[in-house]
Structures are given as structure tokens and as C-alpha cells.
Amino acid sequence: MPARKLFSHSPQPLYLQAAALFRSHIQNRTWRPGQQIPPLESLMETYGISRATIRQAFGLLEKDGLIRRSRGSGTFVNAELPETPTLLIPKTWAETVELSNQLGTVSLVESSADSPLPDTLGMPCDADREGSFQYLRRVHTTDAGPFCYSEVFLESGLFKKHRVRFQKSTIAPVLDQFYGARITEARQVLNVIEAGQESAESLQIPVSSPVAELRRYACIDGRVVYFARLEFPFRKVRMEFDLLSSR
């Protein structure tokens, strides 16, 4: 399929689509380390996009440390490409606690403690969902910078009882420490979505960048006490599966 038709199939801005395409050329070694990238005129003709769009895309790649631009010489793939630190998306409650322990927490919003759960959690849930919840909006960090944007609903009584711990920490490790034996159900679903304005600003990525969205809830004695919606920059996470684990 011609690239110009391919671009028309996505609602993302053209420069983000072009940056993703050019990034894939570098990652799969179509454009090799140290190699000069085709000139703007050639890329314009090949992909049917403007000079300004290509320059915007190159700006993102340069920010990521993938290319260098030299006036009069052209654009080159960096000889040494940076490694993007990644963390493993959890598949169990234990992995959730382990990942959460690796993240720092910066509070963005802490509402009053009488919020209800959203009308829909965006995932199947037959558990009791009544009660009042503390709403928290936060960004979680690693040494490499912002890693996760989160919106959390935590049962108000639990939040008040362990307020200091919850304010300084991610939620899962505190729940596990004090109530792990009473957690009767914990589920999550993974979606791939586009970052909105607030999450993009928090994660320092362009709006509409692909992100892995995790929706997660946990129950104590059959009642939802924790629901979270989390966004991870897609390039910073990975998933691993044992395809023979059920044998």
C-alpha cells in the first residue's frame, strides 16, 4: 500500500505517523546506525508528505537520540543508539505489587473522599461497587523519567486509615501488605489507546501517542475497594508469556 494512503487511515497527526514509520526503519535496521538518511526531497516523494512534516518527525527522533542533523551534510542515524528502558506489564497480583514497588509517585490531584466509582469500569465486574472512594490522579516515575499516568479510586475508609502510606506509595503494595490475605478478586484488562492532553503532558509524550491502558480492580470480601486506570508509554513497556504454561 502506498505510504500516503496508509497515513490517511490514522487519525494521528501526520508528523507522529511519519516519526513512527521512520523510527521503525531505524529499529529494524532499514536505516542502519551511522547511515545517512535519504534527503528530504526523496522522503517527500516516497511518502507524499511535506517538508515541514518530515522536519517535525525528525525533531522527535532527534529528541529520542536516534538521529543527528547537520546543516549542509544531511541527517544521519546515530552510530550508537540509546536503549529505551522497559518494564514488564504485570499479569498477576504478585507482579503488580513488584512493578509498583519500582515506581516513584508524584501527586497531581487528590479529591474529596466521597467520590463514587465510575458508572462503567470499562471491564466486566460483578462485585459490589457501592461506597465512597478517594480519587487520586498521579504520575509514577522511574530513574528514566515519567513512566505511568494513573487515575485511582480507593475506598475512603482504607485511604483514611493508611493515608500517609498511600500518599507516598503506589496503591498495590500497601493493599497487599495490610490486606493481601483478604483480597478475594483482582482483575485487569489491557487496551491500546491514544494519549490525551493531560496524560501526554504528564508522560512527556506527544498527544495521540500510543499508550498501553490498564484498567484494574481489586476486591476485599467481595466488594471493590480499588479501581485504577493507568497509561504507560507503549515504547516503555513489554509483555512476556509462557505459551506452554497450561500444559
Side-chain angles (χ1 to χ4, degrees):
M1 178 183 296
R4 58 178 62 92
K5 291 185 178 180
L6 180 64
F7 288 150
S8 69
H9 290 173
S10 172
Q12 278 195 332
L14 272 178
Y15 78 97
L16 290 180
Q17 297 183 63
L21 179 63
F22 297 160
R23 187 179 289 110
S24 73
H25 287 343
I26 295 172
Q27 292 171 339
N28 65 25
R29 296 302 195 262
T30 300
W31 295 348
R32 303 185 66 80
Q35 177 183 337
Q36 184 172 9
I37 292 172
L40 290 179
E41 290 73 14
S42 175
L43 295 175
M44 291 166 59
E45 181 178 355
T46 299
Y47 299 110
I49 52 180
S50 70
R51 184 186 305 269
T53 296
I54 295 171
R55 283 177 171 163
Q56 280 184 289
F58 279 175
L60 295 179
L61 300 186
E62 191 170 38
K63 183 179 178 181
D64 288 345
L66 298 177
I67 66 172
R68 58 182 174 85
R69 292 184 282 185
S70 177
R71 185 179 297 275
S73 298
T75 302
F76 296 81
V77 179
N78 280 334
E80 294 187 8
L81 299 176
E83 292 187 9
T84 300
T86 61
L87 292 178
L88 191 66
I89 289 288
K91 304 184 295 297
T92 65
W93 179 255
E95 289 180 358
T96 296
V97 173
E98 182 180 354
L99 171 62
S100 298
N101 276 324
Q102 300 177 50
L103 303 178
T105 298
V106 177
S107 177
L108 301 176
V109 171
E110 183 175 314
S111 78
S112 61
D114 57 357
S115 300
L117 282 176
D119 291 338
T120 176
L121 302 187
M123 60 187 299
C125 178
D126 296 326
D128 181 0
R129 294 167 47 190
E130 298 299 320
S132 295
F133 292 79
Q134 176 74 46
Y135 174 75
L136 304 165
R137 190 183 308 152
R138 316 204 281 186
V139 61
H140 304 291
T141 61
T142 66
D143 292 340
F147 179 77
C148 174
Y149 169 84
S150 71
E151 294 181 287
V152 173
F153 292 82
L154 182 65
E155 196 275 327
S156 296
L158 295 182
F159 179 78
K160 291 176 182 178
K161 188 172 183 179
H162 306 285
R163 177 186 294 269
V164 174
R165 288 290 307 277
F166 282 126
Q167 287 176 327
K168 294 181 178 180
S169 167
T170 49
I171 303 299
V174 183
L175 277 181
D176 190 67
Q177 178 181 354
F178 293 102
Y179 304 99
R182 292 176 55 194
I183 294 177
T184 52
E185 184 179 2
R187 300 181 65 85
Q188 72 178 14
V189 63
L190 172 70
N191 303 296
V192 179
I193 65 170
E194 296 177 349
Q197 179 178 349
E198 183 154 5
S199 61
E201 290 176 352
S202 299
L203 296 170
Q204 299 176 13
I205 58 177
V207 172
S208 294
S209 295
V211 291
E213 180 204 55
L214 280 184
R215 291 175 178 260
R216 172 191 301 152
Y217 72 82
C219 300
I220 291 178
D221 300 332
R223 184 167 65 93
V224 175
V225 297
Y226 162 59
F227 169 71
R229 193 189 71 82
L230 309 100
E231 294 183 27
F232 301 84
F234 209 65
R235 294 189 295 116
K236 292 187 177 182
V237 296
R238 70 186 193 280
M239 297 191 71
E240 296 178 4
F241 300 94
D242 181 354
L243 299 181
L244 298 180
S245 60
S246 62
R247 282 193 173 183

